[in-house]
Amino acid sequence: MKGNGAEGAGPPAESSCPPPLEWKFSQVFGERIAGEEVQEVDIISAIEFDKSGDHLATGDRGGRVVLFERTDVKNYGSRKDMEKQDHSISRHPEFRYKTEFQSHEPEFDYLKSLEIEEKINKIKWCQTANHALFLLSTNDKTIKYWKVEEKKVKKISEMNVDALQAVGNGSISSSSMTSPIGYLPNGGCSERPYGHLSYDLSFPPGGFPSLRLPVVTSQETSLIARCRRIYSHAHDYHINSISNNSDGETFISADDLRINLWNLEISNQSFNIVDVKPANMEDLTEVITSAEFHPTHCNMLAYSSSKGSIRLIDLRQSALCDNHSKMFEEREAPGSRSFFTEIIASISDIKFARDGRHILSRDYMTLKLWDINMESSPVAIFQVHEYLRPKLCDLYENDSIFDKFDCCLSGDGMHVATGSYSNLFRVFGCIPGCNEATTLEASKNPLRRQVQIPSRPARSLNSLTRGVVRQGAESPGIDMNGNSYDFTTKLLHLAWHPSENSVACAAMNSLYMYYA
């Protein structure tokens, strides 16, 4: 997966470039009607596929976690069985709503007089066990470990007596129970206590037909979410990242100044492994913006900073990993510094490729692909919305310049994706010499904003996907396709299926899914 600038990677011949992915709409959940007002609590704030790709989780600003499960694989048997039979999956991925639960509630920190929002910042899937699903969810301060499993609910019919027959035969209580007898002096009691069965009670032949014994009528299954652990009181600043370790036992949580290491089974203590807080807060120059464990090496993790650097640390070196083993940072071009340079250089998200060889980072204007064996410069840079550069002053005034966009990689590492404004997201190919770049809109017609090529009057959807320039071909003032951009509709969160070319993205309260 070498990109532009990799050593020994000469641009291949044009014929060696694979055809660009042809994206199609798959599904939408929570689609908005035109003119419908979206409630703040319904806006999606986190998306995550599990490792198998058969489950998808979303979190929203109202503290809810919604789970979806894949249905097309179940209809055709397991994926492994189909691979053994060399069965090609012709159907596109289909998901359905599975369950939802309230993960976090709004809280108030009385010591700091601070309101703690219920908004879900991150969701991470954990290893499954005994057909139960496990996941971590976090808001600004508290991480919770959830178990979601199916429980069989037994319904038992009530033991009852037919009211009509009871009236016809006379009162059962009057025929079976003796009348109360008054107590004697000094606590004595006459012949029989109250409630004693009468000896003259006679049972009809065959018993009472109206008396029914309880029986189990049905065993329905329902999904139940239970909070197994709560990891709290470990962060003074807002949590921006959580990441599972490949050992299946530990995870990290990161805020602006610290990264803590937790054991899933121990909620009352954590180990501080990174601390960038200076002795004097006036000396603070950068903060931690994202952190993630290496996908296969349990001793390695990476974290990014607001200055645009990525540090790789090795937990075997020391208990407190303030000293990094590698640092990835692009050198600033001479004379290019401006007031906005440091703001737009801040990295909002990093992701390891599945093989662990590459790291993808997203700053405000670009995606960068790094080789962990080459610290000097990224192997590829992808311009996301270069047409906004002349508008940085406006973006600063309305605070849009501080928006945090997610990024993601395909399972094979051949494509990367990230969001932009006007509910657009961009997909780039990573093969050197191939300028594949596609712009899609989060709607049922994702290709309607594609570049129109005037030299070809007859155009198909396939040709439209190939007309978007990969880097820096947008004109200022409008977006790359001549449409006016909208800073209020931003696509911040998206996720790529771990084994297929399928993308899930969030546009406000709607979850859109596409496949290629």
Side-chain angles (χ1 to χ4, degrees):
M1 193 180 71
K2 292 182 179 178
N4 297 343
E7 292 183 40
E14 192 68 26
S15 60
S16 63
C17 292
L21 297 177
E22 298 176 5
W23 291 95
K24 299 178 180 67
F25 169 78
S26 174
Q27 287 175 283
V28 59
F29 295 94
E31 185 181 15
R32 229 181 349 148
I33 304 172
E36 180 186 358
E37 185 178 351
V38 177
Q39 299 294 323
E40 178 80 11
V41 294
D42 294 331
I43 296 177
I44 297 174
S45 56
I47 301 180
E48 188 78 12
F49 280 103
D50 71 347
K51 285 186 177 181
S52 68
D54 292 338
H55 293 91
L56 174 68
T58 65
D60 61 27
R61 296 188 182 182
R64 294 182 299 264
V65 172
V66 183
L67 304 185
F68 301 87
E69 66 176 350
R70 189 166 180 175
T71 59
D72 57 306
V73 174
K74 288 184 177 181
N75 295 337
Y76 284 85
S78 69
R79 179 172 301 279
K80 290 183 179 179
D81 293 340
M82 288 188 290
E83 289 175 353
K84 289 177 182 177
Q85 298 170 7
D86 197 21
H87 185 283
S88 61
I89 304 173
S90 58
R91 292 169 60 90
H92 63 81
E94 292 181 0
F95 284 80
R96 70 178 177 189
Y97 169 86
K98 186 178 180 73
T99 188
E100 68 179 88
F101 56 90
Q102 188 71 32
S103 174
H104 288 73
E105 300 280 357
E107 301 175 32
F108 189 81
D109 189 335
Y110 292 97
L111 293 177
K112 298 182 179 179
S113 297
L114 182 70
E115 290 185 1
I116 303 174
E117 287 184 321
E118 65 269 34
K119 185 189 91 167
I120 305 297
N121 291 343
K122 294 289 181 182
I123 297 174
K124 293 292 180 183
W125 290 91
C126 304
Q127 292 181 354
T128 59
N130 299 326
H131 302 289
L133 303 175
F134 295 87
L135 51 88
L136 291 166
S137 62
T138 182
N139 64 352
D140 287 338
K141 295 291 183 180
T142 305
I143 307 162
K144 295 186 178 182
Y145 183 44
W146 292 92
K147 179 182 181 180
V148 182
E149 62 180 340
E150 287 187 349
K151 287 284 188 181
K152 287 187 177 181
V153 180
K154 297 181 180 180
K155 286 192 175 181
I156 301 176
S157 63
E158 297 180 4
M159 181 174 65
N160 60 80
V161 176
D162 191 345
L164 293 176
Q165 294 187 18
V167 172
N169 297 333
S171 173
I172 294 179
S173 61
S174 63
S175 63
S176 61
M177 308 294 288
T178 60
S179 300
I181 298 176
Y183 288 99
L184 298 176
N186 300 324
C189 183
S190 63
E191 303 170 1
R192 289 172 294 203
Y194 172 64
H196 185 77
L197 262 174
S198 173
Y199 292 113
D200 58 358
L201 177 64
S202 59
F203 287 92
F208 289 101
S210 60
L211 187 62
R212 301 170 186 171
L213 295 177
V215 293
V216 177
T217 56
S218 63
Q219 286 190 345
E220 297 180 354
T221 58
S222 63
L223 283 165
I224 298 176
R226 291 189 301 166
C227 184
R228 298 288 304 275
R229 304 274 189 281
I230 298 178
Y231 314 91
S232 56
H233 309 300
H235 288 278
D236 292 330
Y237 304 93
H238 290 177
I239 298 173
N240 55 49
S241 302
I242 53 176
S243 179
N244 294 324
N245 198 346
S246 58
D247 62 9
E249 298 179 357
T250 57
F251 71 94
I252 55 169
S253 58
D255 63 22
D256 292 343
L257 298 179
R258 292 186 176 94
I259 299 177
N260 293 332
L261 178 68
W262 301 82
N263 188 298
L264 281 170
E265 300 300 322
I266 302 173
S267 59
N268 58 359
Q269 68 174 357
S270 63
F271 299 95
N272 179 227
I273 56 175
V274 175
D275 189 348
V276 299
K277 184 178 180 180
N280 185 358
M281 286 296 286
E282 293 181 358
D283 299 331
L284 183 66
T285 59
E286 64 179 334
V287 296
I288 299 169
T289 57
S290 182
E292 183 164 276
F293 261 118
H294 191 281
T296 56
H297 299 325
C298 61
N299 58 287
M300 293 175 63
L301 63 95
Y303 69 91
S304 59
S305 80
S306 57
K307 279 192 169 182
S309 62
I310 301 172
R311 292 172 173 85
L312 192 69
I313 61 176
D314 192 337
L315 298 175
R316 297 172 299 185
Q317 291 182 347
S318 63
L320 187 62
C321 303
D322 288 339
N323 297 321
H324 53 269
S325 57
K326 290 186 178 182
M327 181 171 172
F328 309 92
E329 188 174 24
E330 188 179 22
R331 294 179 182 176
E332 189 179 312
S336 63
R337 189 169 184 81
S338 68
F339 173 77
F340 303 108
T341 300
E342 193 166 308
I343 300 176
I344 64 175
S346 177
I347 295 175
S348 58
D349 190 27
I350 60 171
K351 292 285 193 309
F352 271 101
R354 196 171 184 178
D355 60 2
R357 171 73 184 272
H358 294 84
I359 300 174
L360 180 68
S361 67
R362 169 71 202 264
D363 56 43
Y364 188 71
M365 299 297 291
T366 65
L367 277 173
K368 293 185 175 73
L369 189 64
W370 300 84
D371 188 327
I372 64 172
N373 295 327
M374 190 172 74
E375 304 172 53
S376 57
S377 63
V379 294
I381 300 176
F382 308 97
Q383 305 289 349
V384 179
H385 39 216
E386 189 65 21
Y387 58 89
L388 292 180
R389 196 171 291 274
K391 296 289 184 180
L392 290 179
C393 287
D394 298 335
L395 293 164
Y396 180 77
E397 289 178 2
N398 62 22
D399 286 342
S400 294
I401 201 170
F402 301 107
D403 288 334
K404 307 299 182 185
F405 293 92
D406 290 349
C407 61
C408 57
L409 298 95
S410 60
D412 58 8
M414 304 303 289
H415 293 85
V416 296
T418 190
S420 183
Y421 294 101
S422 303
N423 279 344
L424 300 177
F425 66 100
R426 306 204 69 192
V427 180
F428 300 93
C430 298
I431 299 176
C434 300
N435 294 328
E436 179 185 353
T438 308
T439 303
L440 302 166
E441 182 185 32
S443 67
K444 286 187 175 180
N445 183 11
L447 302 174
R448 72 187 182 100
R449 287 207 177 199
Q450 291 298 305
V451 169
Q452 305 297 313
I453 307 172
S455 60
R456 296 181 182 178
R459 289 180 293 271
S460 65
L461 292 179
N462 295 348
S463 64
L464 294 180
T465 61
R466 303 171 190 176
V468 183
V469 180
R470 184 188 189 189
Q471 300 182 14
E474 304 91 348
S475 57
I478 54 176
D479 68 14
M480 74 287 294
N481 301 321
N483 303 298
S484 59
Y485 40 73
D486 182 4
F487 295 139
T488 61
T489 55
K490 57 194 79 171
L491 201 153
L492 301 176
H493 309 289
L494 76 172
W496 201 299
H497 191 281
S499 58
E500 297 179 24
N501 288 326
S502 176
V503 173
C505 56
M508 299 294 283
N509 65 323
S510 302
L511 176 66
Y512 287 90
M513 306 192 74
Y514 304 92
Y515 70 100

